[in-house]
Amino acid sequence: MTTPPTRRQKWRERKQYRRTTWLIAAAVALFIGGGAAAGAWWTQRDDDPSALPVGTYVPPSEITEPSRQPESSSSTSQRSSSSSSSSSPSAAAQRSDASPSSEQGSVEAPAGSPTRVQVRSGGRDIVDASLEATLLDSEKVLAPPFGTAGWYAEPGWPKPGYQGASILVGHINHGSNPDVFWNLPRVKIGDVVTVTYGSGRTVKFKITKSEPASKKGVPQDDSIWDWDNPNPVLRLITCDPETPINQGHYEGNWVVWADQMVS
């Protein structure tokens, strides 16, 4: 007979999970703003500020996916030195999302994988980007490719519309060019995020909070890395282009919180 875990066991699991989440979140916070350090993936410097004034609206249709460049050995070394302590979610976070049923009302989460994220605000598109499953790389860093957003697809983390916090990440710019989450800081409370699955099914979320956050604070914020939330929620993370660039990365993040809409 299996006995329920004791309070001490639960505390130990939670402590280990939070430590692991902090490491992963730190890697996310480091690499999603302005790209990796100069030379990584791109021939141009990706730590250059955008040529456009911060806050300038750019239609998502004008943000195209650039040609990817092979990652150089020097960039691999740089990333390894800054993220070698990162790790994947612990066993405490391994929750299967194989069942498409959601615990929020009678909403049924779509089967398959999400393929697109859209945000509309003030009658115009703010974000309209393809979504790719994004895993930790060999250095245990979560770094989505430029020109597309990533949904965090490691085991234990839910897809949009499933119980818990689904994490979407994207770059604010690459070099001096806007990237898929360039307009994300422009969203307003009440705006709707639509995630589309390959089947054509959609899941909608209403934005409840959008604000800058320090990169030291993001990894420690349980409201962001809320994997065991009983309801399906969404978090979108990018960098804050109004913060200074330090060693090739913006010093701050921008985070958007959203709750699933139930019709």
Side-chain angles (χ1 to χ4, degrees), residues 127-176:
V127 173
D128 187 354
S130 60
L131 275 173
E132 292 186 6
T134 303
L135 302 172
L136 300 174
D137 64 15
S138 59
E139 278 84 38
K140 305 301 182 184
V141 170
L142 181 63
F146 294 100
T148 185
W151 58 278
Y152 187 35
E154 288 289 339
W157 288 91
K159 294 177 290 187
Y162 289 75
Q163 176 186 334
S166 178
I167 309 296
L168 304 186
V169 292
H171 293 283
I172 198 84
N173 69 292
H174 58 275
S176 60

Side-chain angles (χ1 to χ4, degrees), residues 15 21-22 39 44 78 84 139 197 206 255 263:
K15 182 178 180 182
T21 298
W22 187 94
Q44 66 190 59
Q78 289 171 329
S84 58
E139 278 84 38
Y197 277 71
K206 182 173 288 187
V255 184
S263 56

Side-chain angles (χ1 to χ4, degrees), residues 203-221:
V203 186
K204 294 182 181 295
F205 300 83
K206 182 173 288 187
I207 293 173
T208 59
K209 184 166 65 169
S210 175
E211 61 185 36
S214 72
K215 286 192 175 179
K216 289 184 178 180
V218 166
Q220 303 173 30
D221 191 338

Side-chain angles (χ1 to χ4, degrees), residues 3 10 17 19 38 67 75 87 96 103 110 129 138 169 172 180 183 188 216 228 230 242 252:
T3 58
K10 288 182 178 180
Y17 172 73
R19 177 180 179 276
S67 299
S75 67
S87 59
S96 171
E103 291 190 6
S138 59
V169 292
I172 198 84
V180 293
N183 297 315
K188 297 179 175 59
K216 289 184 178 180
D228 58 352
E242 293 192 0

